[in-house]
Amino acid sequence: MRPYMLTHLTLINFALADHLALDIEAGFHVLTGETGAGKSLLLDALSVCLGERTDSHMVRYGTDKADVTAIFSYAEDSAEAQWLATHELADESGEIHLRRVIFATGRSKAWINGRPSSLAELKDLGRLLVQLYSQHSQQQLLEPPYPKQWLDRYSNFAEPAQAVRDAYSTWQKAIRQHEHALHAQATRLQRIATLELQLEELEDTLQYNYAEIEQEFDRLSHHEHIMQDCAYGLNVLDEAEQNLTQELASVVRRFESHVGRSEQLSNIYTALVNAQSELEDATANLRQFIDRQSFDPERMEQLNQQLEIFHRLARKYRTQPDELHTEYATWQQELEQLQQLDDPETLAEQVKQTEQEFLALAEQLDQQRRDAAGPLAKLLTEQVKPLALPEAYFEFKFEPLEQPTAEGLSFIQLLFTANKGIPAQPLARVASGGELSRIALVMQVMNAEKTDAEVLVFDEIDVGISGGTAEIVGRLLSDLAQHVQILCITHQAQVAAQSDHHLLVQKQQSDPASSTIFALNEEQRIQELARMTGGVEINDTTLQHAKQLRQLKFQHTKIEKS
């Protein structure tokens, strides 16, 4: 078993599942079943555990909540291991347990390794564990940024691309600072004078702590009441004829003679001794407090004046008295920034320097992209040709931008032609729906080879292909499963036949209806492949075809091993 994979899924009252527990092995898994059987059940449950949105429809009819748990194993040096350590969520099992409970009201709760977690944390960890590709992913190909994003991901340009974005941000910030300095020149001196007056007005007052002054004034205001209550307390504790200290000491002496006769009495005696010690300490502290107290009318008047100053300044500057320290610090920081604006030329130099640094990084990244684009387009062409596109040709086109952006210096397009002798044009303009689905499939598989996630989920990405093309797609996924774990929903028998494990989804018309998922043995796989190729009626011809599909899998595996 690989040290990093999805190992188990448990679904309780989730959608059509009553109680479903599924152990999942390494390799290439396919999920098949008749239309409406609930093939997306497992993937929906997995998505829920990875922090996707939920609603009350996911709760099985007639129940008050759904409960889904996904368990992953992981390597000690993996990104997810580091994430768990950073968030103090690793446990002794060496596994990752993701749990989500969805209530019929629409609310949900989440846990990671038994600890309550936010959906943001689930999503953050989920991106390290699982990568999902859906049948709608081909629409990404039509989005302008996608070719650049795909090129960067496949070529491992994430770090230099981020460095360019950071450098661009620094450059733009320098521009804003310079513009602000020029704009502030006219009113700068007036603002500095205002800030200096405000700081000077607060400086003496802020030598005192408002909260401490307020507390001391409150204590002096209630001095007489405090002393009455303290005297009463001291009398009850230690000075009355029958005081608590003497009474407790008497109880302790009585219990002392019985400590060896009962463990429970011994514990009670210990607790009483501790209480006696605490009571004596409290009495001593109270007596000390009383001795040190004195009422000072002059001090009270002084505190009252200081409080009045705090309140007057707070009203003047429209804040709270205890927020004046914060206002002072803000003004001080603004003053320092204004004093640094004496020479806008210095900031102009910073603009020039940061622009040069950005352009150097951007030009380097642009050249890296251009160098990688040719071989990658050639590799994409070779991968797509077997999918009934023998004359397919791809190339990347770089168009310099009028103004550089955080993404670089060039607008990158992916050009395509499916016909010999016809120049390549932008993919979105010339590719048919069937061509787009096959191209998207290959690009997703190529991307999957570079992903950090160790579990890849393909949701009906083989829509629009059949026959020999589907068989080649199955081989692509089978080869990819040598490195990662794959879960794939498919309607294509040629794809299903190439899998290592075949999971069948069936709906049972109970009351209410329910779906179940179970692993097929080899004989059952032949039957299901025959159903997928021949429909409702299974005969010798469809069975023979199903066996031939499985033989192709075994032959491909043997070739790979040799």
Side-chain angles (χ1 to χ4, degrees), residues 544-560:
Q544 187 61 35
H545 181 53
K547 291 177 182 178
Q548 290 174 350
L549 291 177
R550 287 297 288 161
Q551 285 298 319
L552 290 173
K553 160 67 176 176
F554 298 139
Q555 291 172 8
H556 180 65
T557 303
K558 188 179 296 184
I559 292 172
E560 286 295 314

Side-chain angles (χ1 to χ4, degrees), residues 35-50:
T35 301
K39 290 187 293 297
S40 62
L41 186 65
L42 186 148
L43 302 191
D44 288 344
L46 183 58
S47 296
V48 162
C49 286
L50 299 173

Side-chain angles (χ1 to χ4, degrees), residues 90-279:
D91 66 8
E92 297 177 356
S93 69
E95 295 178 324
I96 300 174
H97 291 243
L98 305 181
R99 183 185 174 206
R100 189 92 176 267
V101 172
I102 309 154
F103 297 94
T105 58
R107 295 186 306 107
S108 73
K109 292 183 178 181
W111 292 263
I112 299 176
N113 283 347
R115 298 189 196 175
S117 301
S118 66
L119 294 188
E121 288 175 325
L122 273 188
K123 286 184 178 181
D124 198 19
L125 178 57
R127 281 190 286 267
L128 302 176
L129 297 170
V130 179
Q131 185 71 46
L132 175 64
Y133 301 94
S134 72
Q135 57 181 306
H136 306 295
S137 297
Q138 68 187 60
Q139 298 304 316
Q140 294 179 348
L141 271 67
L142 308 180
E143 297 174 0
Y146 187 76
K148 175 192 65 63
Q149 294 169 355
W150 185 71
L151 171 63
D152 283 355
R153 180 180 294 180
Y154 190 85
S155 305
N156 295 322
F157 290 158
E159 288 189 11
Q162 186 59 49
V164 167
R165 284 190 286 271
D166 292 343
Y168 181 84
S169 177
T170 302
W171 174 35
Q172 295 302 306
K173 183 178 179 181
I175 290 175
R176 289 192 298 271
Q177 288 177 335
H178 180 238
E179 291 175 347
H180 179 71
L182 294 175
H183 182 265
Q185 276 291 84
T187 58
R188 172 181 161 275
L189 294 177
Q190 181 180 352
R191 180 58 180 163
I192 286 177
T194 300
L195 288 172
E196 287 176 341
L197 285 173
Q198 291 176 179
L199 292 170
E200 183 180 357
E201 186 175 25
L202 261 64
E203 189 171 5
D204 291 338
T205 301
L206 294 187
Q207 294 176 4
Y208 305 100
N209 186 297
Y210 175 78
E212 292 177 358
I213 293 174
E214 190 176 40
Q215 184 185 56
E216 186 180 355
F217 181 80
D218 182 64
R219 187 169 66 249
L220 289 175
S221 300
H222 296 83
H223 176 79
E224 184 177 353
H225 193 192
I226 291 172
M227 297 310 295
Q228 288 175 353
D229 289 343
C230 287
Y232 172 80
L234 185 60
N235 183 59
V236 172
L237 289 172
D238 195 41
E239 293 182 350
E241 186 174 346
Q242 289 184 327
N243 58 67
L244 289 180
T245 303
Q246 292 175 347
E247 293 292 336
L248 183 56
S250 177
V251 174
V252 168
R253 285 195 300 272
R254 287 175 178 271
F255 274 81
E256 186 176 10
S257 61
H258 303 302
V259 293
R261 299 186 175 115
S262 166
E263 183 178 351
Q264 190 172 2
L265 286 175
S266 177
N267 292 336
I268 293 171
Y269 171 77
T270 301
L272 289 170
V273 170
N274 291 336
Q276 184 181 33
S277 177
E278 292 288 337
L279 192 60

